[in-house]
Amino acid sequence: MQPFAKRISAMSKVIKIKKGKDINLAGVAEKNVAPRTVSSTIAIKPTDFRNLVPKLVVKAGDEVKAGDALFYDKNNPEVMFTSPVSGEVAEVVRGDRRAVLEVRVLADSETSYKKFDVSNASNTKEVLLESGLWPCIVERPFGVVANPSATPKAIHVSCFDTSPLAADISFTLSKEGDAFRKGVEVLKSLTSGKVHLNVDANGQNQDVFTQTPGAVVTQFAGPHPAGLAGVQIHHIDPINKGDVVWTISPQHVVFIGRLFTNGQLDLTETIAVAGSDIKKPQYVETMVGTNVEVLLKDNVSGDNSRIISGNVLTGTSIGANGYLGFFDNVVSAIPEGDEYEFMGWLFPSYARPTISNSMPISKYLKKNFVVNTNFHGEERAFVVSGEYEKVLPMDIYPVHLLKSILAQDLETMENLGIYEVIPEDMALCEFVCTSKIEVQKILGDGLTLMAEEG
Amino acid sequence: MKFLRNTIDKLKPNFEKGGKLHFLHSTFDGFETFLFVPNHTTKQGAHIRDGIDLKRTMFFVVLALIPCTLFGMWNVGYQHYLALGQEASLMDNLLFGLMKTLPIIIVSYTVGLGIEFAFCQVKGHPINEGFLVSGMLIPLVLPPDISLWMVAIATAFAVVIGKEVFGGTGMNILNPALTARVFLYIAYPVEMAGEIWVSGIKGGAVDAASGATTLGILGAGKEATVDTYNAFMGLIPGSIGETSALMCLLGGVFLIATGIGSWRIMLSTVLGALGMGLILNMVGGNPYYDLPAYQHLIIGGFAFGAVFMATDPVSAAQTNRGKWIYGALIGVLTVLIRVFNPAYPEGIMFAILFMNVMAPLVDNYVIKSNIKRRLSRVKA
């Protein structure tokens, strides 16, 4: 057999991403998998899905099987969101204006599964919708749950993650090759175009992805955000006005593969528990929607940590007993930064990640940073120019796009490429911003406005 | 540090809502955040943020100005004693320069920050760092013997009309420091053209010609021999901080190395001036046409303008391609104004202000080409 690099270069091209920044943080998960740990209650959170308006179909006290619907999408009633476990609906948690935040299910000790008929190839879409795996598919533009009546021009699967403390997907899915291939086969039936597998050019053990028949494999090299589907799509086949492109994570492809192999919903996944406040950062087998308390038990150092479902750039702060998000495969724990720093803007008292040459020690230090949540400054108007461009490897003028959003100028937003980005694509812009502008919030608002009126 | 923090925490309630001194809360905030980076944490979006902030960015520009400032002070003294024909030591020169310069700096900061604080107070905004730099730039582009009331008026004009009416730091169209300079140039032409370029020679103690700057002599149609060494080192009369190309170069290197100043703008400004200078050299004809192109870079305020004024990120072009065009046009225009309109010797000042106004247009065309690319994808 030829060496890996040689084999792959024969079958796909390498796209080199030059702009961006890898943020190396302390507490990277070690590559061993702790035994299966799942909490007794599981929660599915409508807030994990952009702009979703949920309609409940259960109330507290109802019994559900794994695969039974908990709620559906008001705007696309056939899109179901289902329970990953069997048991009793314990609680519906509501927030402002009675918006549903979480549906919690108390799991049975023995899971009973709803059976899905997967023998018939013609009803693939219906099975996906009914099983609750349809929401795994994210639609661009706007980054919302895919519209079942749309036909995408392509489906992209980013098979690696470059974000800080990211889980190594080729490691977590190393034994899931069959399910992955099955899942890709299902996805192929949903598009008239191609299914793209975008893999890490420098990654080890990519065979689980590259050995997939019928998919287009493209290699990417470079710093974060090279691993984001948005960046990859931009370099392979950018989204134009009127285009619909779907993205899905490799883990979710595996879920689909499992469903179409044995007819039942199995949302078991291996995730990373990482960060400088984790005593023993490693991988653990668990389930979508688990309470992270069981994962963090006796494993968090310090008493002032921020627990994030997802990575530190795009994740959600959930607290020490919150629930793992639907799309997240990492739980990050970093110290809070609610402390004053004497003259910190001039003499930083500890090294911190930066792209600024004005902090040469921090910038060129080769180490994994212990990073906290301090703002390191105050919000200001846009002053410094050319900064976002250094970390956004797209042919887009980010500041002008954001200004057009602030001005609610729909036509300019469209012209400047709002269809090509979702908030995660510009999370690094937010990180590097000298003026501490809330980039992801502004972009999210712009996308919502565009989706409503555009 | 703990004591300082405790003191601030004790004072703080007075400035908070309902406190006796609430009307001064912006000022208090300004000083507090100067001493301590606030304990604010991220609430939404990215949980971690880069260590850089606007305070650091602005302060680094002030650091980059230190060589120009120190040398400028010394040169004020040096020119003074040179004009009087007296021997003077390094300390004599520096001391004389300090005595002349310090009041101008103090007036500039006091007036500027006073107005800035007042505006922030009224609007309920936090104090912005922008004037840290402007307050230093204004004295450095003024002649040493300028009257302090003129400094005060110019600074007030720059802060109010140049910046605050547009909404403060980040919103202005023109570079505030240059606004101050051009205000004086236009509003007080007699005073600015007098014998104030070399300190302490007013009243005819010395021959007037010795107070004239190179550009002034050339502007009068006379042949001027530029002593390249003196012009590069800055041993010539002129504005306080802008005579020395060497010191500007040091500042420029510092700004580029720290990533604070745009190398694209600096480089393209120099290339633009060189290019235009060479073209005029080829045409030839009068002393100004024949001035070697490279000498345009070291006389007048060119180096200072290219390094510190043109690169102001707010008033400059903001797209990378736009920066090249913006800078190059500043260089070209500077030389053009100097040569074709000798009544206005300070070409760089007008060139930068003109391009400040044109920068949004330059960006607009750069962005239009981006939009065109995006639309052409659909057709393809």
Side-chain angles (χ1 to χ4, degrees):
Chain A
M1 223 171 168
Q2 283 176 309
F4 174 71
K6 261 202 179 143
R7 264 183 295 143
I8 203 159
S9 65
M11 60 199 256
S12 67
K13 59 173 178 173
V14 179
I15 295 177
K16 288 201 176 79
I17 303 290
K18 294 203 182 76
K19 294 170 169 185
K21 155 126 184 119
D22 280 328
I23 302 174
N24 298 319
L25 300 185
V28 179
E30 267 180 54
K31 290 219 169 123
N32 55 304
V33 183
R36 184 180 167 92
T37 315
V38 182
S39 59
S40 55
T41 44
I42 296 282
I44 298 296
K45 300 185 274 189
T47 48
D48 286 343
F49 308 90
R50 273 189 63 78
N51 296 353
L52 176 72
V53 185
K55 272 295 214 188
L56 287 174
V57 293
V58 293
K59 55 183 188 304
D62 287 358
E63 290 287 333
V64 290
K65 283 183 186 165
D68 274 340
L70 298 174
F71 53 90
Y72 63 88
D73 179 354
K74 191 182 169 199
N75 299 316
N76 289 307
E78 65 271 42
V79 179
M80 298 293 172
F81 298 78
T82 57
S83 172
V85 293
S86 64
E88 183 190 331
V89 177
E91 193 184 359
V92 174
V93 181
R94 290 177 186 272
D96 283 349
R97 293 194 288 170
R98 296 189 43 78
V100 180
L101 301 181
E102 291 173 4
V103 180
R104 294 183 186 166
V105 180
L106 182 61
D108 295 337
S109 52
E110 199 72 20
T111 310
S112 58
Y113 292 96
K114 179 174 175 179
K115 278 286 170 194
F116 295 95
D117 175 20
V118 292
S119 57
N120 188 348
S122 65
N123 66 351
T124 306
K125 196 178 261 186
E126 286 70 30
V127 172
L128 280 174
L129 287 164
E130 199 192 339
S131 66
L133 285 182
W134 186 267
C136 296
I137 306 173
V138 175
E139 181 169 305
R140 286 170 184 254
F142 309 129
V144 294
V145 174
N147 179 354
S149 56
T151 311
K153 77 167 178 177
I155 298 177
H156 287 261
V157 187
S158 172
C159 299
F160 66 113
D161 192 343
T162 46
S163 57
L165 299 172
D168 180 347
I169 306 172
S170 64
F171 173 71
T172 61
L173 299 184
S174 56
K175 297 189 182 79
E176 305 279 3
D178 289 334
F180 185 80
R181 283 184 282 277
K182 181 76 188 169
V184 170
E185 197 185 309
V186 172
L187 290 176
K188 271 191 329 201
S189 70
L190 300 176
T191 172
S192 53
K194 289 169 176 152
V195 174
H196 290 269
L197 302 180
N198 307 326
V199 303
D200 185 357
N202 305 315
Q204 304 289 311
N205 311 319
Q206 300 289 305
D207 285 14
V208 61
F209 309 120
T210 55
Q211 303 294 309
T212 311
V216 182
V217 175
T218 311
Q219 295 183 77
F220 282 84
H224 188 58
L228 291 182
V231 172
Q232 296 159 358
I233 295 168
H234 185 85
H235 287 267
I236 293 173
D237 182 14
I239 301 171
N240 300 313
K241 190 186 181 185
D243 286 350
V244 171
V245 173
W246 289 350
T247 65
I248 181 169
S249 79
Q251 179 67 62
H252 290 176
V253 176
V254 167
F255 291 161
I256 292 175
R258 283 183 202 150
L259 173 72
F260 282 85
T261 307
N262 58 20
Q264 58 196 32
L265 186 68
D266 178 5
L267 301 191
T268 300
E269 61 180 348
T270 301
I271 67 165
V273 179
S276 55
D277 268 6
I278 296 290
K279 287 182 194 156
K280 194 173 177 217
Q282 62 175 356
Y283 291 82
V284 59
E285 188 181 302
T286 183
M287 183 181 275
V288 169
T290 188
N291 192 314
V292 296
E293 206 175 0
V294 293
L295 308 179
L296 300 175
K297 201 172 161 211
D298 301 326
N299 199 10
V300 179
S301 56
D303 50 2
N304 191 16
S305 305
R306 178 169 299 190
I307 310 297
I308 300 160
S309 174
N311 70 59
V312 294
L313 290 176
T314 60
T316 316
S317 174
I318 56 170
N321 53 6
Y323 292 86
L324 181 66
F326 190 82
F327 294 97
D328 299 328
N329 64 354
V330 58
V331 174
S332 321
I334 55 173
E336 287 284 2
D338 52 348
E339 275 170 2
Y340 291 95
E341 190 183 7
F342 180 68
M343 296 291 269
W345 55 276
L346 187 55
F347 307 109
S349 53
Y350 50 89
R352 55 201 63 175
T354 180
I355 66 157
S356 172
N357 280 334
S358 78
M359 301 181 150
I361 296 173
S362 290
K363 177 159 181 186
Y364 295 107
L365 198 63
K366 289 264 177 282
K367 73 166 227 172
N368 290 338
F369 292 96
V370 174
V371 68
N372 64 37
T373 63
N374 191 283
F375 232 60
H376 298 309
E378 295 169 284
E379 187 161 350
R380 291 286 184 261
F382 285 108
V383 169
V384 178
S385 63
E387 200 174 30
Y388 293 4
E389 284 86 343
K390 287 181 192 160
V391 292
L392 183 70
M394 293 179 158
D395 186 19
I396 282 177
Y397 286 101
V399 174
H400 291 83
L401 175 61
L402 291 176
K403 285 184 176 172
S404 72
I405 293 171
L406 292 172
Q408 304 205 333
D409 179 348
L410 294 172
E411 195 188 336
T412 309
M413 283 153 68
E414 184 179 305
N415 283 337
L416 292 177
I418 195 168
Y419 297 133
E420 299 173 48
V421 285
I422 61 173
E424 64 170 23
D425 299 325
M426 283 172 65
L428 262 184
C429 299
E430 183 169 75
F431 166 75
V432 302
C433 186
T434 298
S435 296
K436 313 290 174 192
I437 286 171
E438 308 263 5
V439 174
Q440 293 188 83
K441 162 113 179 37
I442 296 172
L443 181 56
D445 290 348
L447 288 168
T448 306
L449 184 73
M450 201 76 201
E452 282 168 1
E453 304 195 12
Chain B
M1 262 22 90
K2 197 116 202 162
F3 169 74
L4 199 56
R5 186 66 241 165
N6 289 341
T7 317
I8 290 177
D9 284 337
K10 224 177 271 167
L11 289 173
K12 206 170 182 176
N14 293 322
F15 296 92
E16 278 164 354
K17 237 189 169 110
K20 267 180 274 174
L21 297 169
H22 178 63
F23 65 97
L24 285 176
H25 68 104
S26 285
T27 311
F28 181 78
D29 275 356
F31 285 110
E32 188 196 349
T33 57
F34 178 84
L35 286 173
F36 288 93
V37 173
N39 59 352
H40 302 168
T41 55
T42 52
K43 293 283 177 279
Q44 54 189 8
H47 296 271
I48 59 171
R49 302 300 171 100
D50 199 307
I52 188 90
D53 72 345
L54 205 54
K55 277 195 180 57
R56 189 177 181 84
T57 306
M58 293 297 184
F59 191 77
F60 268 59
V61 183
V62 176
L63 287 183
L65 284 166
I66 287 178
C68 282
T69 312
L70 289 180
F71 178 85
M73 285 179 181
W74 175 85
N75 190 45
V76 168
Y78 174 75
Q79 294 298 331
H80 168 74
Y81 289 115
L82 191 68
L84 295 180
Q86 295 173 359
E87 289 276 319
S89 68
L90 178 97
M91 275 320 284
D92 290 341
N93 290 338
L94 209 54
L95 216 60
F96 181 86
L98 190 69
M99 300 284 283
K100 279 283 165 192
T101 317
L102 204 57
I104 303 179
I105 296 176
I106 291 172
V107 168
S108 156
Y109 269 115
T110 314
V111 173
L113 286 178
I115 295 173
E116 183 111 2
F117 276 40
F119 265 89
C120 291
Q121 208 73 73
V122 170
K123 292 196 286 189
H125 287 179
I127 308 277
N128 270 310
E129 293 79 7
F131 197 78
L132 276 182
V133 174
S134 308
M136 200 66 219
L137 284 175
I138 291 174
L140 295 185
V141 294
L142 296 179
D145 255 10
I146 191 165
S147 316
L148 292 180
W149 62 267
M150 279 163 68
V151 179
I153 291 181
T155 307
F157 180 84
V159 174
V160 176
I161 304 295
K163 197 157 87 170
E164 291 302 339
V165 292
F166 295 106
T169 302
M171 311 293 181
N172 46 308
I173 294 170
L174 301 176
N175 180 315
L178 273 183
T179 310
R181 180 67 171 76
V182 83
F183 170 79
L184 287 176
Y185 190 84
I186 290 169
Y188 299 96
V190 179
E191 285 84 347
M192 291 298 279
E195 295 159 338
I196 57 176
W197 297 94
V198 173
S199 184
I201 59 167
K202 231 179 234 171
V206 190
D207 173 24
S210 62
T213 62
T214 316
L215 286 167
I217 300 169
L218 282 164
K222 293 180 205 154
E223 291 240 12
T225 43
V226 177
D227 181 336
T228 307
Y229 174 79
N230 280 351
F232 179 73
M233 296 303 287
L235 305 169
I236 48 174
S239 299
I240 294 170
E242 63 180 22
T243 57
S244 172
L246 177 65
M247 295 303 147
C248 295
L249 195 64
L250 282 182
V253 167
F254 179 77
L255 285 181
I256 291 174
T258 52
I260 303 284
S262 166
W263 61 270
R264 289 185 180 86
I265 294 177
M266 293 185 210
L267 182 62
S268 58
T269 306
V270 168
L271 291 178
L274 272 180
M276 196 64 228
L278 285 175
I279 292 174
L280 291 175
N281 286 167
M282 276 188 268
V283 177
N286 74 23
Y288 229 144
Y289 281 58
D290 287 333
L291 190 72
Y294 72 90
Q295 292 198 350
H296 275 294
L297 307 182
I298 51 174
I299 61 171
F302 180 86
F304 192 83
V307 170
F308 296 108
M309 297 290 196
T311 53
D312 169 13
V314 176
S315 54
Q318 309 200 334
T319 57
N320 283 342
R321 202 182 302 174
K323 283 175 187 167
W324 285 106
I325 301 169
Y326 164 88
L329 285 177
I330 288 177
V332 169
L333 282 173
T334 303
V335 175
L336 280 182
I337 295 172
R338 280 181 179 176
V339 174
F340 289 115
N341 198 349
Y344 294 106
E346 264 315 333
I348 183 84
M349 170 173 80
F350 286 102
I352 294 174
L353 282 175
F354 182 72
M355 286 313 295
N356 281 170
V357 175
M358 301 307 272
L361 189 69
V362 173
D363 279 340
N364 189 32
Y365 279 106
V366 172
I367 284 167
K368 275 234 173 88
S369 77
N370 176 270
I371 293 173
K372 254 192 209 137
R373 266 201 306 284
R374 187 164 288 112
L375 289 177
S376 69
R377 278 194 330 228
V378 185
K379 286 178 205 132

